[in-house]
PDB file of all heavy atoms in Angstrom:
ATOM      1  N   GLY G  23      37.361  -5.234  30.475  1.00  0.00           N
ATOM      2  CA  GLY G  23      37.670  -4.099  31.342  1.00  0.00           C
ATOM      3  C   GLY G  23      36.375  -3.621  31.980  1.00  0.00           C
ATOM      4  O   GLY G  23      35.314  -4.256  31.840  1.00  0.00           O
ATOM      5  N   ALA G  24      36.481  -2.477  32.632  1.00  0.00           N
ATOM      6  CA  ALA G  24      35.376  -1.977  33.443  1.00  0.00           C
ATOM      7  C   ALA G  24      34.068  -1.845  32.664  1.00  0.00           C
ATOM      8  O   ALA G  24      32.983  -1.977  33.236  1.00  0.00           O
ATOM      9  CB  ALA G  24      35.762  -0.632  34.052  1.00  0.00           C
ATOM     10  N   GLY G  25      34.149  -1.601  31.353  1.00  0.00           N
ATOM     11  CA  GLY G  25      32.944  -1.394  30.549  1.00  0.00           C
ATOM     12  C   GLY G  25      32.008  -2.594  30.547  1.00  0.00           C
ATOM     13  O   GLY G  25      30.804  -2.428  30.378  1.00  0.00           O
ATOM     14  N   VAL G  26      32.558  -3.810  30.761  1.00  0.00           N
ATOM     15  CA  VAL G  26      31.681  -4.994  30.734  1.00  0.00           C
ATOM     16  C   VAL G  26      30.724  -4.975  31.927  1.00  0.00           C
ATOM     17  O   VAL G  26      29.649  -5.558  31.881  1.00  0.00           O
ATOM     18  CB  VAL G  26      32.508  -6.307  30.688  1.00  0.00           C
ATOM     19  CG1 VAL G  26      33.056  -6.701  32.045  1.00  0.00           C
ATOM     20  CG2 VAL G  26      31.693  -7.449  30.110  1.00  0.00           C
ATOM     21  N   ALA G  28      29.611  -2.035  33.232  1.00  0.00           N
ATOM     22  CA  ALA G  28      28.926  -0.733  33.279  1.00  0.00           C
ATOM     23  C   ALA G  28      27.412  -0.916  33.364  1.00  0.00           C
ATOM     24  O   ALA G  28      26.735  -0.246  34.154  1.00  0.00           O
ATOM     25  CB  ALA G  28      29.315   0.111  32.069  1.00  0.00           C
ATOM     26  N   ALA G  29      26.878  -1.852  32.574  1.00  0.00           N
ATOM     27  CA  ALA G  29      25.418  -2.054  32.570  1.00  0.00           C
ATOM     28  C   ALA G  29      24.924  -2.665  33.873  1.00  0.00           C
ATOM     29  O   ALA G  29      23.721  -2.672  34.137  1.00  0.00           O
ATOM     30  CB  ALA G  29      25.014  -2.935  31.384  1.00  0.00           C
ATOM     31  N   THR G  34      32.905   2.812  35.747  1.00  0.00           N
ATOM     32  CA  THR G  34      34.181   2.621  35.064  1.00  0.00           C
ATOM     33  C   THR G  34      35.183   3.617  35.653  1.00  0.00           C
ATOM     34  O   THR G  34      34.858   4.358  36.592  1.00  0.00           O
ATOM     35  CB  THR G  34      34.028   2.836  33.541  1.00  0.00           C
ATOM     36  OG1 THR G  34      33.593   4.176  33.336  1.00  0.00           O
ATOM     37  CG2 THR G  34      33.034   1.859  32.934  1.00  0.00           C
ATOM     38  N   PHE G  35      36.394   3.642  35.100  1.00  0.00           N
ATOM     39  CA  PHE G  35      37.431   4.523  35.647  1.00  0.00           C
ATOM     40  C   PHE G  35      37.540   5.841  34.882  1.00  0.00           C
ATOM     41  O   PHE G  35      37.622   6.913  35.463  1.00  0.00           O
ATOM     42  CB  PHE G  35      38.790   3.809  35.634  1.00  0.00           C
ATOM     43  CG  PHE G  35      38.816   2.638  36.561  1.00  0.00           C
ATOM     44  CD1 PHE G  35      38.529   1.362  36.105  1.00  0.00           C
ATOM     45  CD2 PHE G  35      39.090   2.809  37.901  1.00  0.00           C
ATOM     46  CE1 PHE G  35      38.521   0.276  36.973  1.00  0.00           C
ATOM     47  CE2 PHE G  35      39.090   1.737  38.780  1.00  0.00           C
ATOM     48  CZ  PHE G  35      38.803   0.469  38.313  1.00  0.00           C
ATOM     49  N   ARG G  36      37.556   5.720  33.541  1.00  0.00           N
ATOM     50  CA  ARG G  36      37.954   6.890  32.755  1.00  0.00           C
ATOM     51  C   ARG G  36      36.821   7.549  31.983  1.00  0.00           C
ATOM     52  O   ARG G  36      37.044   8.553  31.327  1.00  0.00           O
ATOM     53  CB  ARG G  36      39.090   6.505  31.796  1.00  0.00           C
ATOM     54  CG  ARG G  36      40.328   6.117  32.551  1.00  0.00           C
ATOM     55  CD  ARG G  36      41.469   5.602  31.701  1.00  0.00           C
ATOM     56  NE  ARG G  36      42.575   5.252  32.577  1.00  0.00           N
ATOM     57  CZ  ARG G  36      42.658   4.106  33.266  1.00  0.00           C
ATOM     58  NH1 ARG G  36      41.705   3.203  33.154  1.00  0.00           N
ATOM     59  NH2 ARG G  36      43.680   3.874  34.064  1.00  0.00           N
ATOM     60  N   ASP G  37      35.619   6.995  32.034  1.00  0.00           N
ATOM     61  CA  ASP G  37      34.499   7.657  31.362  1.00  0.00           C
ATOM     62  C   ASP G  37      34.097   8.887  32.180  1.00  0.00           C
ATOM     63  O   ASP G  37      34.428   8.977  33.365  1.00  0.00           O
ATOM     64  CB  ASP G  37      33.298   6.695  31.270  1.00  0.00           C
ATOM     65  CG  ASP G  37      33.569   5.529  30.327  1.00  0.00           C
ATOM     66  OD1 ASP G  37      33.923   5.804  29.169  1.00  0.00           O
ATOM     67  OD2 ASP G  37      33.436   4.372  30.752  1.00  0.00           O
ATOM     68  N   TRP G  42      38.046   7.663  38.143  1.00  0.00           N
ATOM     69  CA  TRP G  42      39.241   8.521  38.074  1.00  0.00           C
ATOM     70  C   TRP G  42      38.911   9.923  37.556  1.00  0.00           C
ATOM     71  O   TRP G  42      39.805  10.720  37.332  1.00  0.00           O
ATOM     72  CB  TRP G  42      40.319   7.909  37.164  1.00  0.00           C
ATOM     73  CG  TRP G  42      40.943   6.605  37.576  1.00  0.00           C
ATOM     74  CD1 TRP G  42      41.539   5.731  36.733  1.00  0.00           C
ATOM     75  CD2 TRP G  42      41.092   6.034  38.897  1.00  0.00           C
ATOM     76  NE1 TRP G  42      42.017   4.638  37.424  1.00  0.00           N
ATOM     77  CE2 TRP G  42      41.754   4.800  38.755  1.00  0.00           C
ATOM     78  CE3 TRP G  42      40.705   6.431  40.185  1.00  0.00           C
ATOM     79  CZ2 TRP G  42      42.051   3.976  39.836  1.00  0.00           C
ATOM     80  CZ3 TRP G  42      40.989   5.596  41.256  1.00  0.00           C
ATOM     81  CH2 TRP G  42      41.656   4.396  41.074  1.00  0.00           C
ATOM     82  N   GLN G 101      40.460  -7.401  33.706  1.00  0.00           N
ATOM     83  CA  GLN G 101      41.166  -6.389  34.501  1.00  0.00           C
ATOM     84  C   GLN G 101      40.315  -5.980  35.694  1.00  0.00           C
ATOM     85  O   GLN G 101      40.750  -5.214  36.538  1.00  0.00           O
ATOM     86  CB  GLN G 101      41.453  -5.149  33.642  1.00  0.00           C
ATOM     87  CG  GLN G 101      42.328  -5.428  32.440  1.00  0.00           C
ATOM     88  CD  GLN G 101      42.276  -4.290  31.439  1.00  0.00           C
ATOM     89  OE1 GLN G 101      42.958  -3.285  31.576  1.00  0.00           O
ATOM     90  NE2 GLN G 101      41.445  -4.430  30.424  1.00  0.00           N
ATOM     91  N   ASN G 102      39.075  -6.494  35.725  1.00  0.00           N
ATOM     92  CA  ASN G 102      38.142  -6.057  36.759  1.00  0.00           C
ATOM     93  C   ASN G 102      38.386  -6.774  38.076  1.00  0.00           C
ATOM     94  O   ASN G 102      38.731  -7.944  38.094  1.00  0.00           O
ATOM     95  CB  ASN G 102      36.707  -6.293  36.306  1.00  0.00           C
ATOM     96  CG  ASN G 102      36.390  -5.519  35.039  1.00  0.00           C
ATOM     97  OD1 ASN G 102      37.144  -4.625  34.660  1.00  0.00           O
ATOM     98  ND2 ASN G 102      35.306  -5.861  34.385  1.00  0.00           N
ATOM     99  N   HIS G 119      44.197  -7.871  37.771  1.00  0.00           N
ATOM    100  CA  HIS G 119      44.427  -6.864  38.819  1.00  0.00           C
ATOM    101  C   HIS G 119      43.908  -7.285  40.186  1.00  0.00           C
ATOM    102  O   HIS G 119      43.671  -6.447  41.045  1.00  0.00           O
ATOM    103  CB  HIS G 119      43.793  -5.521  38.392  1.00  0.00           C
ATOM    104  CG  HIS G 119      44.466  -4.923  37.195  1.00  0.00           C
ATOM    105  ND1 HIS G 119      43.827  -4.106  36.293  1.00  0.00           N
ATOM    106  CD2 HIS G 119      45.735  -5.030  36.757  1.00  0.00           C
ATOM    107  CE1 HIS G 119      44.673  -3.740  35.352  1.00  0.00           C
ATOM    108  NE2 HIS G 119      45.838  -4.293  35.601  1.00  0.00           N
ATOM    109  N   VAL G 164      45.935  -5.005  42.472  1.00  0.00           N
ATOM    110  CA  VAL G 164      47.205  -4.466  41.984  1.00  0.00           C
ATOM    111  C   VAL G 164      47.089  -2.950  41.929  1.00  0.00           C
ATOM    112  O   VAL G 164      46.164  -2.410  41.316  1.00  0.00           O
ATOM    113  CB  VAL G 164      47.527  -5.036  40.582  1.00  0.00           C
ATOM    114  CG1 VAL G 164      48.813  -4.429  40.041  1.00  0.00           C
ATOM    115  CG2 VAL G 164      47.638  -6.560  40.651  1.00  0.00           C
ATOM    116  N   PHE G 166      48.885   0.924  41.114  1.00  0.00           N
ATOM    117  CA  PHE G 166      49.835   1.527  40.180  1.00  0.00           C
ATOM    118  C   PHE G 166      51.239   1.424  40.770  1.00  0.00           C
ATOM    119  O   PHE G 166      51.424   1.667  41.968  1.00  0.00           O
ATOM    120  CB  PHE G 166      49.472   2.981  39.898  1.00  0.00           C
ATOM    121  CG  PHE G 166      48.232   3.095  39.052  1.00  0.00           C
ATOM    122  CD1 PHE G 166      46.983   3.265  39.631  1.00  0.00           C
ATOM    123  CD2 PHE G 166      48.301   2.977  37.668  1.00  0.00           C
ATOM    124  CE1 PHE G 166      45.828   3.330  38.861  1.00  0.00           C
ATOM    125  CE2 PHE G 166      47.155   3.028  36.888  1.00  0.00           C
ATOM    126  CZ  PHE G 166      45.931   3.211  37.476  1.00  0.00           C
ATOM    127  N   GLY G 191      35.100  -3.663  26.473  1.00  0.00           N
ATOM    128  CA  GLY G 191      34.883  -2.683  27.546  1.00  0.00           C
ATOM    129  C   GLY G 191      36.147  -2.242  28.252  1.00  0.00           C
ATOM    130  O   GLY G 191      36.121  -1.997  29.452  1.00  0.00           O
ATOM    131  N   THR G 192      37.226  -2.116  27.478  1.00  0.00           N
ATOM    132  CA  THR G 192      38.456  -1.596  28.087  1.00  0.00           C
ATOM    133  C   THR G 192      38.977  -0.411  27.290  1.00  0.00           C
ATOM    134  O   THR G 192      38.917  -0.422  26.052  1.00  0.00           O
ATOM    135  CB  THR G 192      39.553  -2.677  28.210  1.00  0.00           C
ATOM    136  OG1 THR G 192      40.732  -2.074  28.769  1.00  0.00           O
ATOM    137  CG2 THR G 192      39.908  -3.334  26.892  1.00  0.00           C
ATOM    138  N   SER G 193      39.480   0.609  27.997  1.00  0.00           N
ATOM    139  CA  SER G 193      40.082   1.759  27.318  1.00  0.00           C
ATOM    140  C   SER G 193      41.453   1.385  26.759  1.00  0.00           C
ATOM    141  O   SER G 193      42.016   2.122  25.956  1.00  0.00           O
ATOM    142  CB  SER G 193      40.193   2.944  28.278  1.00  0.00           C
ATOM    143  OG  SER G 193      40.981   2.567  29.398  1.00  0.00           O
ATOM    144  N   ALA G 194      41.994   0.240  27.195  1.00  0.00           N
ATOM    145  CA  ALA G 194      43.272  -0.288  26.687  1.00  0.00           C
ATOM    146  C   ALA G 194      44.430   0.688  26.877  1.00  0.00           C
ATOM    147  O   ALA G 194      45.275   0.839  25.996  1.00  0.00           O
ATOM    148  CB  ALA G 194      43.126  -0.701  25.218  1.00  0.00           C
ATOM    149  N   VAL G 195      44.467   1.331  28.018  1.00  0.00           N
ATOM    150  CA  VAL G 195      45.586   2.256  28.302  1.00  0.00           C
ATOM    151  C   VAL G 195      46.464   1.759  29.441  1.00  0.00           C
ATOM    152  O   VAL G 195      47.521   2.330  29.707  1.00  0.00           O
ATOM    153  CB  VAL G 195      45.099   3.694  28.610  1.00  0.00           C
ATOM    154  CG1 VAL G 195      44.433   4.313  27.390  1.00  0.00           C
ATOM    155  CG2 VAL G 195      44.176   3.759  29.809  1.00  0.00           C
ATOM    156  N   VAL G 196      46.018   0.720  30.163  1.00  0.00           N
ATOM    157  CA  VAL G 196      46.801   0.258  31.310  1.00  0.00           C
ATOM    158  C   VAL G 196      47.551  -1.030  30.924  1.00  0.00           C
ATOM    159  O   VAL G 196      46.934  -2.041  30.588  1.00  0.00           O
ATOM    160  CB  VAL G 196      45.899   0.024  32.549  1.00  0.00           C
ATOM    161  CG1 VAL G 196      46.694  -0.586  33.699  1.00  0.00           C
ATOM    162  CG2 VAL G 196      45.278   1.344  32.995  1.00  0.00           C
ATOM    163  N   VAL G 216      34.948  -4.560  21.320  1.00  0.00           N
ATOM    164  CA  VAL G 216      33.534  -4.335  21.659  1.00  0.00           C
ATOM    165  C   VAL G 216      33.503  -3.171  22.629  1.00  0.00           C
ATOM    166  O   VAL G 216      33.955  -3.278  23.785  1.00  0.00           O
ATOM    167  CB  VAL G 216      32.899  -5.590  22.301  1.00  0.00           C
ATOM    168  CG1 VAL G 216      31.443  -5.315  22.671  1.00  0.00           C
ATOM    169  CG2 VAL G 216      33.001  -6.795  21.362  1.00  0.00           C
ATOM    170  N   ASN G 217      33.006  -2.038  22.174  1.00  0.00           N
ATOM    171  CA  ASN G 217      33.084  -0.817  22.989  1.00  0.00           C
ATOM    172  C   ASN G 217      32.211   0.251  22.333  1.00  0.00           C
ATOM    173  O   ASN G 217      32.227   0.375  21.108  1.00  0.00           O
ATOM    174  CB  ASN G 217      34.560  -0.345  23.033  1.00  0.00           C
ATOM    175  CG  ASN G 217      34.853   0.596  24.181  1.00  0.00           C
ATOM    176  OD1 ASN G 217      34.106   1.536  24.422  1.00  0.00           O
ATOM    177  ND2 ASN G 217      35.948   0.347  24.886  1.00  0.00           N
ATOM    178  N   PRO G 218      31.469   1.023  23.106  1.00  0.00           N
ATOM    179  CA  PRO G 218      30.683   2.098  22.482  1.00  0.00           C
ATOM    180  C   PRO G 218      31.557   3.249  21.990  1.00  0.00           C
ATOM    181  O   PRO G 218      31.122   4.064  21.179  1.00  0.00           O
ATOM    182  CB  PRO G 218      29.744   2.567  23.605  1.00  0.00           C
ATOM    183  CG  PRO G 218      30.288   2.020  24.868  1.00  0.00           C
ATOM    184  CD  PRO G 218      31.179   0.870  24.536  1.00  0.00           C
ATOM    185  N   GLU G 219      32.816   3.313  22.497  1.00  0.00           N
ATOM    186  CA  GLU G 219      33.743   4.387  22.098  1.00  0.00           C
ATOM    187  C   GLU G 219      34.976   3.759  21.447  1.00  0.00           C
ATOM    188  O   GLU G 219      35.199   2.557  21.570  1.00  0.00           O
ATOM    189  CB  GLU G 219      34.220   5.183  23.327  1.00  0.00           C
ATOM    190  CG  GLU G 219      33.119   5.671  24.247  1.00  0.00           C
ATOM    191  CD  GLU G 219      32.332   6.816  23.646  1.00  0.00           C
ATOM    192  OE1 GLU G 219      32.878   7.533  22.783  1.00  0.00           O
ATOM    193  OE2 GLU G 219      31.156   6.970  24.026  1.00  0.00           O
ATOM    194  N   SER G 221      38.669   2.873  21.598  1.00  0.00           N
ATOM    195  CA  SER G 221      39.675   2.737  22.662  1.00  0.00           C
ATOM    196  C   SER G 221      41.064   2.884  22.073  1.00  0.00           C
ATOM    197  O   SER G 221      41.238   2.904  20.857  1.00  0.00           O
ATOM    198  CB  SER G 221      39.556   1.356  23.327  1.00  0.00           C
ATOM    199  OG  SER G 221      40.299   0.404  22.586  1.00  0.00           O
ATOM    200  N   GLY G 233      29.191  -0.547  20.519  1.00  0.00           N
ATOM    201  CA  GLY G 233      27.983  -0.685  21.323  1.00  0.00           C
ATOM    202  C   GLY G 233      28.331  -1.219  22.688  1.00  0.00           C
ATOM    203  O   GLY G 233      29.487  -1.593  22.960  1.00  0.00           O
ATOM    204  N   GLY G 234      27.356  -1.269  23.555  1.00  0.00           N
ATOM    205  CA  GLY G 234      27.555  -1.805  24.894  1.00  0.00           C
ATOM    206  C   GLY G 234      27.737  -3.316  24.839  1.00  0.00           C
ATOM    207  O   GLY G 234      27.079  -3.999  24.039  1.00  0.00           O
ATOM    208  N   ALA G 235      28.618  -3.818  25.697  1.00  0.00           N
ATOM    209  CA  ALA G 235      28.882  -5.261  25.724  1.00  0.00           C
ATOM    210  C   ALA G 235      27.616  -6.045  26.027  1.00  0.00           C
ATOM    211  O   ALA G 235      27.409  -7.149  25.507  1.00  0.00           O
ATOM    212  CB  ALA G 235      29.941  -5.558  26.787  1.00  0.00           C
ATOM    213  N   GLU G 236      26.728  -5.456  26.838  1.00  0.00           N
ATOM    214  CA  GLU G 236      25.506  -6.166  27.253  1.00  0.00           C
ATOM    215  C   GLU G 236      24.539  -6.345  26.094  1.00  0.00           C
ATOM    216  O   GLU G 236      23.634  -7.167  26.164  1.00  0.00           O
ATOM    217  CB  GLU G 236      24.854  -5.401  28.426  1.00  0.00           C
ATOM    218  CG  GLU G 236      24.247  -4.041  28.102  1.00  0.00           C
ATOM    219  CD  GLU G 236      25.286  -2.923  27.917  1.00  0.00           C
ATOM    220  OE1 GLU G 236      26.493  -3.182  28.030  1.00  0.00           O
ATOM    221  OE2 GLU G 236      24.857  -1.780  27.650  1.00  0.00           O
TER     222      GLU G 236
HETATM  223  P1  OAD C 301      38.320   2.334  31.806  1.00  0.00           P
HETATM  224  O1  OAD C 301      37.409   3.079  32.708  1.00  0.00           O
HETATM  225  O2  OAD C 301      39.643   2.933  31.518  1.00  0.00           O
HETATM  226  O3  OAD C 301      37.597   2.089  30.414  1.00  0.00           O
HETATM  227  C1  OAD C 301      36.284   1.630  30.350  1.00  0.00           C
HETATM  228  C2  OAD C 301      35.942   1.377  28.898  1.00  0.00           C
HETATM  229  O4  OAD C 301      34.655   0.803  28.846  1.00  0.00           O
HETATM  230  C3  OAD C 301      35.911   2.634  28.034  1.00  0.00           C
HETATM  231  O5  OAD C 301      36.655   2.386  26.838  1.00  0.00           O
HETATM  232  C4  OAD C 301      34.426   2.817  27.716  1.00  0.00           C
HETATM  233  O6  OAD C 301      34.194   3.380  26.437  1.00  0.00           O
HETATM  234  C5  OAD C 301      33.949   1.388  27.782  1.00  0.00           C
HETATM  235  N1  OAD C 301      32.516   1.224  28.077  1.00  0.00           N
HETATM  236  C6  OAD C 301      31.666   2.011  28.765  1.00  0.00           C
HETATM  237  N2  OAD C 301      30.434   1.461  28.831  1.00  0.00           N
HETATM  238  C7  OAD C 301      30.512   0.274  28.182  1.00  0.00           C
HETATM  239  C8  OAD C 301      29.589  -0.777  27.899  1.00  0.00           C
HETATM  240  N3  OAD C 301      28.314  -0.724  28.309  1.00  0.00           N
HETATM  241  N4  OAD C 301      30.033  -1.842  27.194  1.00  0.00           N
HETATM  242  C9  OAD C 301      31.312  -1.909  26.757  1.00  0.00           C
HETATM  243  N5  OAD C 301      32.227  -0.958  26.990  1.00  0.00           N
HETATM  244  C10 OAD C 301      31.840   0.123  27.693  1.00  0.00           C
HETATM  245  O7  OAD C 301      38.466   0.848  32.408  1.00  0.00           O
HETATM  246  P2  OAD C 301      39.583  -0.260  32.119  1.00  0.00           P
HETATM  247  O8  OAD C 301      39.993  -0.263  30.694  1.00  0.00           O
HETATM  248  O9  OAD C 301      39.082  -1.514  32.702  1.00  0.00           O
HETATM  249  O10 OAD C 301      43.360  -0.782  37.119  1.00  0.00           O
HETATM  250  O11 OAD C 301      40.772   0.280  33.000  1.00  0.00           O
HETATM  251  C11 OAD C 301      41.925  -0.496  33.117  1.00  0.00           C
HETATM  252  C12 OAD C 301      42.469  -0.391  34.507  1.00  0.00           C
HETATM  253  O12 OAD C 301      42.585   0.977  34.893  1.00  0.00           O
HETATM  254  C13 OAD C 301      41.570  -0.971  35.596  1.00  0.00           C
HETATM  255  O13 OAD C 301      41.702  -2.377  35.729  1.00  0.00           O
HETATM  256  C14 OAD C 301      42.058  -0.271  36.810  1.00  0.00           C
HETATM  257  C15 OAD C 301      42.147   1.130  36.267  1.00  0.00           C
HETATM  258  O14 OAD C 301      43.026   1.974  36.904  1.00  0.00           O
HETATM  259  C16 OAD C 301      43.711  -1.018  38.374  1.00  0.00           C
HETATM  260  O15 OAD C 301      42.950  -0.853  39.295  1.00  0.00           O
HETATM  261  C17 OAD C 301      45.107  -1.520  38.510  1.00  0.00           C
END
Side-chain angles (χ1 to χ4, degrees):
V26 79
T34 61
F35 294 94
R36 295 175 181 80
D37 292 305
W42 296 157
Q101 299 165 82
N102 300 346
H119 294 151
V164 177
F166 289 94
T192 178
S193 59
V195 295
V196 174
V216 179
N217 199 313
E219 309 287 335
S221 85
E236 69 284 0

